[in-house]
Amino acid sequence: MLFERLINTTLALLLLVSFVSCSDDEPATQLVTVKLTDAPADYEEVNVDIREIHVNLGDEGDDLGWYELSGVNQGIYDLIQLSNGINTTLVTERIPAGEISQVRLILGNENSVQIDGIEYALSTPSGQQSGIKINLNETFDEGIPYIIVLDFDAARSVVEAGNSGKYNLKPVIRATAEASGGAIAGNVQPAESNSVVYAIMGEDTVTSTPSSDSGDYLLPYLPAGNYTVGIEPNAEFESASISSISVTEGNLTEADTVFLTPTE
C-alpha cells in the first residue's frame, strides 16, 4: 500500500544518513523503531491517546530496567485506520544494545470508541494508569536496525461496562520484533592510518571511523543490499576498497581486513 511504502521509504532515508562510530569506551547501541498496527474490529473508530513508550532492558518484573524513548509522536490514533496491514511509526531511537524484555505503553485520557455515529469515552482501569506492559523477550544486536510492532487488538480491547451504556478500554496488545537491515564490520591496518571508512550503495553513503588502537570499524543500520566499502587513509597511505559486500536482514557481515599500501 502507498501508506506503507511511504513509511518504509522514510525509515530507509533515516538509516542511510552519515554515521560516525562510537569510541571503544562508549556502550553498544541499537536503532529501534516502534510501530503501531491493529487487527480489524467492528467499530467505526477506536481512538487511543498515546503519550509515552518505555522499554525494559532488564528482566521481566525488574522495575529498575525501564528506559523511556524520547521523541514519541504523541497523539490520538484511530486503530481502525491501522488495520489490514497498515501501520504508523511512533518513534525511532538509538538505545543500549541487548535484551528488551517488555514494552510499556502509557496512554492519556482522550480514548474513545464510535458506534453508530455516537462517540463514547473509554475509561482505563486504574491498575493500568502506570502503563500497559507487553512482553517481548528479544535480544537485539549492536548495529542492526530493528522494528518493534505493537499489534493492538481493538476488538478485544473495548469492553462494554455491563448495562451502563459505558465502555472500558482494557488493552490487548501483542509485541513482535524483526530486523530491518544489517551491518558491516571489518578492520583496517595499520590502525594509526587515521582512515575514514564508507559503505556505498548507489548514491547513498554511510561513514565510520575505525578505532585508532585496533583498526576495527562498524558500519551499522544498513538496509539489505550489495555495498562497496571504501577506505580513505591519511596522505601516508593509498586509498583502498572492497566491492560486492552483501548485507542481509538481521546479520553482521564480516569484511576482509584491509592492509593499506604506503604511498611512494
Side-chain angles (χ1 to χ4, degrees):
M1 291 185 180
L2 177 60
F3 183 75
E4 177 66 12
R5 289 201 299 269
L6 288 172
I7 291 173
N8 291 336
T9 300
T10 301
L11 177 60
L13 290 174
L14 175 65
L15 297 180
L16 282 169
V17 297
S18 293
F19 173 87
V20 178
S21 64
C22 299
S23 70
D24 294 341
D25 294 332
E26 294 181 358
T29 61
Q30 66 216 14
L31 187 70
V32 171
T33 295
V34 180
K35 294 189 175 186
L36 179 68
T37 191
D38 176 43
D42 191 21
Y43 298 108
E44 294 161 11
E45 294 181 8
V46 176
N47 300 300
V48 292
D49 182 9
I50 294 179
R51 299 286 98 193
E52 298 177 20
I53 300 173
H54 303 234
V55 292
N56 194 337
L57 303 178
D59 297 327
E60 284 184 29
D62 180 6
D63 285 335
L64 299 178
W66 287 106
Y67 180 98
E68 181 177 357
L69 303 183
S70 61
V72 172
N73 295 317
Q74 298 179 337
I76 298 172
Y77 293 83
D78 180 6
L79 298 177
I80 304 304
Q81 300 298 318
L82 298 174
S83 59
N84 298 316
I86 297 175
N87 60 55
T88 190
T89 298
L90 298 177
V91 65
T92 297
E93 184 178 344
R94 283 178 62 192
I95 66 173
E99 183 178 358
I100 297 179
S101 60
Q102 295 173 304
V103 178
R104 182 165 64 195
L105 187 63
I106 297 179
L107 303 180
N109 298 320
E110 302 299 320
N111 305 295
S112 64
V113 59
Q114 183 171 305
I115 304 171
D116 296 329
I118 302 174
E119 185 173 289
Y120 300 88
L122 287 172
S123 300
T124 304
S126 59
Q128 294 178 349
Q129 295 301 318
S130 62
I132 305 144
K133 295 179 182 179
I134 309 132
N135 291 335
L136 183 61
N137 293 316
E138 291 280 353
T139 299
F140 297 81
D141 296 324
E142 178 186 8
I144 306 296
Y146 292 90
I147 295 176
I148 298 173
V149 177
L150 302 181
D151 190 352
F152 210 122
D153 191 339
R156 297 168 59 195
S157 300
V158 176
V159 180
E160 190 171 3
N163 297 320
S164 65
K166 297 181 179 180
Y167 293 84
N168 292 329
L169 180 63
K170 297 183 178 180
V172 177
I173 306 172
R174 181 173 65 97
T176 58
E178 62 180 14
S180 61
I184 298 173
N187 185 273
V188 175
Q189 293 297 321
E192 61 271 17
S193 60
N194 298 320
S195 296
V196 176
V197 180
Y198 303 88
I200 305 167
M201 183 173 67
E203 297 181 354
D204 298 309
T205 303
V206 176
T207 306
S208 179
T209 304
S211 165
S212 59
D213 295 325
S214 65
D216 292 337
Y217 65 85
L218 177 68
L219 292 157
Y221 315 140
L222 303 175
N226 289 319
Y227 289 81
T228 295
V229 170
I231 298 98
E232 291 293 337
N234 61 30
E236 297 177 5
F237 298 92
E238 301 285 350
S239 300
S241 66
I242 312 172
S243 60
S244 300
I245 298 179
S246 178
V247 172
T248 55
E249 304 283 354
N251 294 309
L252 177 67
T253 301
E254 296 280 353
D256 293 336
T257 298
V258 174
F259 296 93
L260 298 172
T261 302
T263 53
E264 296 181 358

PDB file of all heavy atoms in Angstrom, residues 8-18 31 33 92-93 221:
ATOM      1  N   ASN A   8       8.153   2.983   4.862  1.00  0.00           N
ATOM      2  CA  ASN A   8       9.398   2.262   4.668  1.00  0.00           C
ATOM      3  C   ASN A   8      10.441   3.135   3.993  1.00  0.00           C
ATOM      4  O   ASN A   8      11.632   3.055   4.301  1.00  0.00           O
ATOM      5  CB  ASN A   8       9.139   1.013   3.827  1.00  0.00           C
ATOM      6  CG  ASN A   8       8.327  -0.016   4.579  1.00  0.00           C
ATOM      7  OD1 ASN A   8       8.329  -0.029   5.803  1.00  0.00           O
ATOM      8  ND2 ASN A   8       7.632  -0.885   3.864  1.00  0.00           N
ATOM      9  N   THR A   9      10.031   3.990   3.045  1.00  0.00           N
ATOM     10  CA  THR A   9      10.972   4.898   2.391  1.00  0.00           C
ATOM     11  C   THR A   9      11.554   5.886   3.381  1.00  0.00           C
ATOM     12  O   THR A   9      12.754   6.161   3.389  1.00  0.00           O
ATOM     13  CB  THR A   9      10.270   5.658   1.248  1.00  0.00           C
ATOM     14  OG1 THR A   9       9.787   4.709   0.302  1.00  0.00           O
ATOM     15  CG2 THR A   9      11.244   6.601   0.556  1.00  0.00           C
ATOM     16  N   THR A  10      10.691   6.422   4.259  1.00  0.00           N
ATOM     17  CA  THR A  10      11.166   7.371   5.269  1.00  0.00           C
ATOM     18  C   THR A  10      12.180   6.723   6.189  1.00  0.00           C
ATOM     19  O   THR A  10      13.219   7.300   6.516  1.00  0.00           O
ATOM     20  CB  THR A  10       9.978   7.893   6.098  1.00  0.00           C
ATOM     21  OG1 THR A  10       9.066   8.527   5.214  1.00  0.00           O
ATOM     22  CG2 THR A  10      10.451   8.892   7.144  1.00  0.00           C
ATOM     23  N   LEU A  11      11.899   5.465   6.626  1.00  0.00           N
ATOM     24  CA  LEU A  11      12.831   4.766   7.504  1.00  0.00           C
ATOM     25  C   LEU A  11      14.151   4.518   6.793  1.00  0.00           C
ATOM     26  O   LEU A  11      15.226   4.700   7.366  1.00  0.00           O
ATOM     27  CB  LEU A  11      12.213   3.439   7.962  1.00  0.00           C
ATOM     28  CG  LEU A  11      13.099   2.558   8.840  1.00  0.00           C
ATOM     29  CD1 LEU A  11      13.473   3.292  10.111  1.00  0.00           C
ATOM     30  CD2 LEU A  11      12.417   1.238   9.140  1.00  0.00           C
ATOM     31  N   ALA A  12      14.087   4.127   5.519  1.00  0.00           N
ATOM     32  CA  ALA A  12      15.314   3.861   4.774  1.00  0.00           C
ATOM     33  C   ALA A  12      16.183   5.107   4.663  1.00  0.00           C
ATOM     34  O   ALA A  12      17.399   5.051   4.813  1.00  0.00           O
ATOM     35  CB  ALA A  12      14.979   3.335   3.379  1.00  0.00           C
ATOM     36  N   LEU A  13      15.566   6.257   4.411  1.00  0.00           N
ATOM     37  CA  LEU A  13      16.316   7.502   4.331  1.00  0.00           C
ATOM     38  C   LEU A  13      16.952   7.839   5.661  1.00  0.00           C
ATOM     39  O   LEU A  13      18.080   8.335   5.725  1.00  0.00           O
ATOM     40  CB  LEU A  13      15.385   8.635   3.888  1.00  0.00           C
ATOM     41  CG  LEU A  13      14.916   8.565   2.433  1.00  0.00           C
ATOM     42  CD1 LEU A  13      13.879   9.648   2.169  1.00  0.00           C
ATOM     43  CD2 LEU A  13      16.081   8.696   1.463  1.00  0.00           C
ATOM     44  N   LEU A  14      16.216   7.553   6.766  1.00  0.00           N
ATOM     45  CA  LEU A  14      16.756   7.829   8.090  1.00  0.00           C
ATOM     46  C   LEU A  14      17.972   6.966   8.362  1.00  0.00           C
ATOM     47  O   LEU A  14      18.977   7.423   8.902  1.00  0.00           O
ATOM     48  CB  LEU A  14      15.681   7.555   9.147  1.00  0.00           C
ATOM     49  CG  LEU A  14      16.115   7.670  10.610  1.00  0.00           C
ATOM     50  CD1 LEU A  14      16.510   9.108  10.922  1.00  0.00           C
ATOM     51  CD2 LEU A  14      15.000   7.217  11.534  1.00  0.00           C
ATOM     52  N   LEU A  15      17.906   5.698   7.928  1.00  0.00           N
ATOM     53  CA  LEU A  15      19.007   4.785   8.206  1.00  0.00           C
ATOM     54  C   LEU A  15      20.239   5.101   7.378  1.00  0.00           C
ATOM     55  O   LEU A  15      21.355   4.760   7.756  1.00  0.00           O
ATOM     56  CB  LEU A  15      18.561   3.342   7.911  1.00  0.00           C
ATOM     57  CG  LEU A  15      17.414   2.809   8.758  1.00  0.00           C
ATOM     58  CD1 LEU A  15      17.097   1.376   8.342  1.00  0.00           C
ATOM     59  CD2 LEU A  15      17.736   2.874  10.225  1.00  0.00           C
ATOM     60  N   LEU A  16      20.067   5.777   6.226  1.00  0.00           N
ATOM     61  CA  LEU A  16      21.176   5.995   5.330  1.00  0.00           C
ATOM     62  C   LEU A  16      21.831   7.360   5.457  1.00  0.00           C
ATOM     63  O   LEU A  16      22.511   7.819   4.568  1.00  0.00           O
ATOM     64  CB  LEU A  16      20.711   5.775   3.883  1.00  0.00           C
ATOM     65  CG  LEU A  16      20.585   4.296   3.511  1.00  0.00           C
ATOM     66  CD1 LEU A  16      19.867   4.141   2.184  1.00  0.00           C
ATOM     67  CD2 LEU A  16      21.953   3.640   3.446  1.00  0.00           C
ATOM     68  N   VAL A  17      21.606   8.035   6.578  1.00  0.00           N
ATOM     69  CA  VAL A  17      22.349   9.268   6.826  1.00  0.00           C
ATOM     70  C   VAL A  17      23.748   8.911   7.292  1.00  0.00           C
ATOM     71  O   VAL A  17      24.019   7.808   7.741  1.00  0.00           O
ATOM     72  CB  VAL A  17      21.645  10.132   7.911  1.00  0.00           C
ATOM     73  CG1 VAL A  17      20.285  10.565   7.435  1.00  0.00           C
ATOM     74  CG2 VAL A  17      21.544   9.372   9.225  1.00  0.00           C
ATOM     75  N   SER A  18      24.674   9.869   7.182  1.00  0.00           N
ATOM     76  CA  SER A  18      26.054   9.607   7.580  1.00  0.00           C
ATOM     77  C   SER A  18      26.135   9.332   9.066  1.00  0.00           C
ATOM     78  O   SER A  18      25.477   9.967   9.872  1.00  0.00           O
ATOM     79  CB  SER A  18      26.927  10.816   7.241  1.00  0.00           C
ATOM     80  OG  SER A  18      27.012  10.973   5.853  1.00  0.00           O
ATOM     81  N   LEU A  31      19.505   0.625  16.865  1.00  0.00           N
ATOM     82  CA  LEU A  31      18.469   1.525  16.386  1.00  0.00           C
ATOM     83  C   LEU A  31      17.140   0.772  16.393  1.00  0.00           C
ATOM     84  O   LEU A  31      17.020  -0.292  15.784  1.00  0.00           O
ATOM     85  CB  LEU A  31      18.787   2.008  14.970  1.00  0.00           C
ATOM     86  CG  LEU A  31      17.854   3.083  14.415  1.00  0.00           C
ATOM     87  CD1 LEU A  31      18.081   4.412  15.136  1.00  0.00           C
ATOM     88  CD2 LEU A  31      18.071   3.255  12.927  1.00  0.00           C
ATOM     89  N   THR A  33      12.857   1.097  15.945  1.00  0.00           N
ATOM     90  CA  THR A  33      11.656   1.811  15.523  1.00  0.00           C
ATOM     91  C   THR A  33      10.443   1.076  16.085  1.00  0.00           C
ATOM     92  O   THR A  33      10.352  -0.153  15.962  1.00  0.00           O
ATOM     93  CB  THR A  33      11.554   1.873  13.992  1.00  0.00           C
ATOM     94  OG1 THR A  33      12.639   2.646  13.481  1.00  0.00           O
ATOM     95  CG2 THR A  33      10.240   2.515  13.550  1.00  0.00           C
ATOM     96  N   THR A  92      11.499   6.456  16.590  1.00  0.00           N
ATOM     97  CA  THR A  92      12.745   5.807  16.193  1.00  0.00           C
ATOM     98  C   THR A  92      13.851   6.379  17.060  1.00  0.00           C
ATOM     99  O   THR A  92      14.002   7.597  17.161  1.00  0.00           O
ATOM    100  CB  THR A  92      13.056   6.055  14.702  1.00  0.00           C
ATOM    101  OG1 THR A  92      12.037   5.464  13.896  1.00  0.00           O
ATOM    102  CG2 THR A  92      14.399   5.447  14.318  1.00  0.00           C
ATOM    103  N   GLU A  93      14.634   5.487  17.684  1.00  0.00           N
ATOM    104  CA  GLU A  93      15.669   5.969  18.609  1.00  0.00           C
ATOM    105  C   GLU A  93      16.773   4.938  18.758  1.00  0.00           C
ATOM    106  O   GLU A  93      16.524   3.726  18.671  1.00  0.00           O
ATOM    107  CB  GLU A  93      15.056   6.263  19.986  1.00  0.00           C
ATOM    108  CG  GLU A  93      16.051   6.858  20.974  1.00  0.00           C
ATOM    109  CD  GLU A  93      15.421   7.190  22.322  1.00  0.00           C
ATOM    110  OE1 GLU A  93      14.196   7.244  22.415  1.00  0.00           O
ATOM    111  OE2 GLU A  93      16.172   7.384  23.286  1.00  0.00           O
ATOM    112  N   TYR A 221      23.321  -0.182  10.770  1.00  0.00           N
ATOM    113  CA  TYR A 221      21.992   0.281  10.346  1.00  0.00           C
ATOM    114  C   TYR A 221      21.876   0.389   8.831  1.00  0.00           C
ATOM    115  O   TYR A 221      21.419   1.387   8.280  1.00  0.00           O
ATOM    116  CB  TYR A 221      21.651   1.629  10.998  1.00  0.00           C
ATOM    117  CG  TYR A 221      21.964   1.688  12.469  1.00  0.00           C
ATOM    118  CD1 TYR A 221      22.512   2.829  13.032  1.00  0.00           C
ATOM    119  CD2 TYR A 221      21.725   0.606  13.297  1.00  0.00           C
ATOM    120  CE1 TYR A 221      22.800   2.889  14.392  1.00  0.00           C
ATOM    121  CE2 TYR A 221      22.013   0.655  14.651  1.00  0.00           C
ATOM    122  CZ  TYR A 221      22.555   1.790  15.195  1.00  0.00           C
ATOM    123  OH  TYR A 221      22.845   1.853  16.535  1.00  0.00           O
TER     124      TYR A 221
END
